[in-house]
Amino acid sequence: MKPLFPRHILTASALALVVGLGHAGAQQVADPANEDVPPQVAQEAQDAAEANRPLGAETDGAVQAQVMPNSFADLAEQVSPAVVNITTTSVVSQPTAGPGFPEGSPFSELFREFGFPGMPGAPEGMPRQRSPQRSNALGSGFVISSDGFIVTNNHVIDGADQIEVEFYSGERLPAEVVGTDPNTDVALLKVESDEAIPFVEFGDSDAARVGDWVLAMGNPLGQGFSASSGIVSARNRELSGTYDDYLQTDAAINRGNSGGPLFNLRGEVIGVNTAILSPNGGSIGIGFSMASNVVSQVVDQLQEFGETRRGWLGVMIQDVTPEMAEAMGLSVASGAMITDVPEGPARDAGLRTGDVITQFDGTPVEDTRGLVRRVAEAPAGETVQVIVMREGSEETLDVTLGRRETAQGGSATGPQAPSDEPMESDVLGMSVTVLTPDMAEELGAPRDASGLAITGIDPEGPAAEKGLAAGDIITDVNQQPVASVADLNARVEEAREAGRRSVLLLVRRGGEPLFVALPIGDDQE
């Protein structure tokens, strides 16, 4: 189990059992083999597998719309044969506190005090003993095809030497890793079986609504197959990843549930149980399942290529704030503002710094997070239409996407002749001076960069209020390059004449670009 945020967000991963050489044994794990599924239902599941038909509840619209299901028993019976327990084994070499004595024991302290070889704190030069340790971890997963493809979390099988899958019937089969994607914490496994294996299918996670009933299944705390019910508590949760799109649920999810399915009432998988928010490591009703629409696309690529092949646009972006929208004359504060265009697909297609991407491949872009997901979902090498707002006009560009995993970005800063203007001026609550090659190098920019360096900030002025700081470099104002204080003043005056209340600055801080909407007031400073 790995924390995403210390003491708060935890992966719903395995209960680790560590057995060192010379130790008696480990915690007993309940036999997960079950007899809860009647023989008739088990036979129906096998028949479905033979017919290459996914398991699922045969429900109609009336059942889906009811406020409270009479029971989840029928649904649990039908989908259980496709849910699996996953046991991983790895052998690691770990420091020991002496022969047979665990680190931290009284014997460990005794031998440390007397300098036993290999003890922490032993005299310098004495060897530190290392003992092989066998580590077993437990998790969950689910079968997605009759020929034995299984989905789980990457952190469940990461670093494993052996992987064993146990089915609801008690049958155990070894599994091989087909591919993994740490970015979404998804792993695809494969088992070989002489018979077709019952499986389930992905549903549309975008169709899930807050308040919909869900059923979580898995192997919590190593106790064997288990089901818990709840509702979708929230959608589109983001924890720590670039491609995060989690469904939040109050269905009980605990350690060992990682990789298990979250079902809707039709028996479709709409999420993969991944993490919990907990102060104590147990379920408090705040669990997170990676949305099936994200997982299914990753799984398709892992099945076909054994790796992910995400699209790559090749831009740096930030959200458009209301102040930025006003400064640019936009009616709505939405889209993704391009802050930098390194060498790559976007530059080749003609996208520029300052463009606001409003549509990507026919889908409106609300913010940067949505754009990142849409680009990642698009196949590498595909040509898509990108619509941008540029200087008040809408433009459509065709971009042939690269592949994110192999993309190599370069500097987007082109050579510009610096102005020979030595004086320092106070403008809009900040002191600025023309950037020189030595100053640029000191501030982390290329020596041939041009712009204005901020040398001081009025703590009560608008620049301080917007977070600008000494050492920032202003390269563009209202999407036009500035190489002198006169350029800056001209852009500010143009904005006032146009009736705008702010100007849009493109600032580089430590080499990273950032747009800032800076209020300009009524009078020229």
Side-chain angles (χ1 to χ4, degrees), residues 104-127:
S105 70
F107 296 102
S108 166
E109 297 297 325
L110 173 65
F111 282 106
R112 178 184 292 110
E113 182 176 349
F114 287 96
F116 192 91
M119 291 301 304
E124 187 175 354
M126 299 187 73

Side-chain angles (χ1 to χ4, degrees), residues 249-509:
T249 179
D250 65 349
I253 296 174
N254 287 285
R255 302 185 186 187
N257 274 115
S258 275
L262 186 73
F263 291 105
N264 60 20
L265 293 186
R266 289 185 291 273
E268 300 167 335
V269 178
I270 60 171
V272 177
N273 303 324
T274 302
I276 58 175
L277 177 63
S278 173
N280 54 22
S283 173
I284 60 171
I286 305 178
F288 301 95
S289 301
M290 181 63 80
S292 61
N293 285 2
V294 174
V295 176
S296 61
Q297 292 188 348
V298 170
V299 167
D300 288 345
Q301 293 186 357
L302 295 180
Q303 273 188 293
E304 184 174 358
F305 308 113
E307 60 185 358
T308 56
R309 296 187 178 182
R310 294 186 170 93
W312 178 59
L313 185 59
V315 292
M316 298 183 68
I317 52 178
Q318 71 178 78
D319 287 333
V320 178
T321 65
E323 294 85 0
M324 291 166 59
E326 194 279 332
M328 298 174 64
L330 301 178
S331 58
V332 181
S334 64
M337 167 78 77
I338 298 178
T339 61
D340 202 359
V341 188
E343 185 175 347
R347 179 186 287 189
D348 294 341
L351 272 74
R352 304 176 188 169
T353 298
D355 287 348
V356 178
I357 301 176
T358 59
Q359 284 193 42
F360 178 87
D361 198 20
T363 303
V365 174
E366 298 295 331
D367 52 27
T368 55
R369 184 180 170 201
L371 177 61
V372 169
R373 283 191 53 201
R374 286 290 298 115
V375 173
E377 292 168 358
E382 183 175 278
T383 299
V384 299
Q385 279 194 341
V386 178
I387 298 179
V388 302
M389 290 297 297
R390 177 182 296 170
E391 298 177 359
S393 300
E394 189 175 88
E395 295 198 19
T396 301
L397 303 168
D398 291 329
V399 184
T400 300
L401 300 177
R403 183 183 171 196
R404 184 177 183 88
E405 289 81 359
T406 56
Q408 297 293 328
S411 173
T413 306
Q416 295 177 335
S419 172
D420 187 15
E421 185 177 345
M423 81 277 281
E424 183 176 86
S425 300
D426 293 331
V427 182
L428 301 176
M430 55 187 176
S431 298
V432 296
T433 187
V434 174
L435 188 68
T436 65
D438 290 342
M439 292 171 60
E441 188 174 36
E442 184 178 348
L443 296 175
R447 288 184 60 86
D448 57 3
S450 68
L452 299 174
I454 300 178
T455 58
I457 295 290
D458 179 357
E460 298 181 357
E465 182 181 347
K466 291 300 180 180
L468 292 172
D472 290 346
I473 301 174
I474 303 171
T475 62
D476 295 73
V477 177
N478 285 347
Q479 300 175 287
Q480 298 182 54
V482 292
S484 67
V485 176
D487 289 343
L488 171 59
N489 286 329
R491 300 293 87 77
V492 171
E493 189 58 34
E494 290 170 1
R496 286 199 178 99
E497 291 176 355
R500 296 178 181 173
R501 297 188 297 272
S502 57
V503 290
L504 189 66
L505 307 183
L506 176 55
V507 174
R508 293 190 178 273
R509 177 177 296 169

Side-chain angles (χ1 to χ4, degrees), residues 13-255:
S13 65
L15 172 69
L17 307 177
V18 179
V19 182
L21 298 182
H23 291 275
Q27 173 183 339
Q28 284 286 351
V29 179
D31 184 358
N34 284 270
E35 298 180 355
D36 294 338
V37 176
Q40 178 183 355
V41 176
Q43 184 59 49
E44 291 174 353
Q46 186 60 44
D47 292 343
E50 296 289 350
N52 200 31
R53 188 175 69 249
L55 304 178
E58 296 181 0
T59 58
D60 54 25
V63 174
Q64 291 296 311
Q66 65 185 358
V67 174
M68 176 68 182
N70 294 327
S71 171
F72 288 95
D74 290 342
L75 174 61
E77 280 184 353
Q78 291 183 355
V79 299
S80 290
V83 182
V84 301
N85 293 342
I86 297 175
T87 303
T88 65
T89 303
S90 58
V91 178
V92 296
S93 180
Q94 296 182 348
T96 62
F101 301 135
E103 177 64 29
S105 70
F107 296 102
S108 166
E109 297 297 325
L110 173 65
F111 282 106
R112 178 184 292 110
E113 182 176 349
F114 287 96
F116 192 91
M119 291 301 304
E124 187 175 354
M126 299 187 73
R128 182 177 174 82
Q129 292 187 345
R130 305 186 71 85
S131 172
Q133 302 282 315
R134 182 174 296 278
S135 174
N136 291 356
L138 306 177
S140 306
F142 55 98
V143 186
I144 60 167
S145 67
S146 61
D147 56 349
F149 283 100
I150 296 172
V151 173
T152 186
N153 279 143
N154 177 61
H155 73 261
V156 170
I157 55 89
D158 189 32
D161 297 318
Q162 296 178 353
I163 303 173
E164 184 178 68
V165 173
E166 181 167 18
F167 295 87
Y168 198 86
S169 62
E171 181 184 9
R172 298 171 182 263
L173 292 174
E176 297 293 332
V177 177
V178 176
T180 64
D181 179 34
N183 289 313
T184 54
D185 200 6
V186 171
L188 183 65
L189 311 179
K190 182 71 165 61
V191 296
E192 299 296 335
S193 174
D194 295 334
E195 295 184 343
I197 303 175
F199 65 98
V200 289
E201 63 181 348
F202 288 109
D204 182 4
S205 56
D206 288 343
R209 300 183 302 164
V210 172
D212 280 351
W213 286 101
V214 289
L215 183 71
M217 302 193 75
N219 178 27
L221 301 174
Q223 298 304 301
F225 287 90
S226 176
S228 59
S229 65
I231 62 170
V232 175
S233 304
R235 291 167 33 88
N236 303 122
R237 290 300 199 204
E238 182 178 3
L239 299 183
S240 63
T242 303
Y243 309 109
D244 282 2
D245 184 12
Y246 286 98
L247 297 177
Q248 180 185 324
T249 179
D250 65 349
I253 296 174
N254 287 285
R255 302 185 186 187

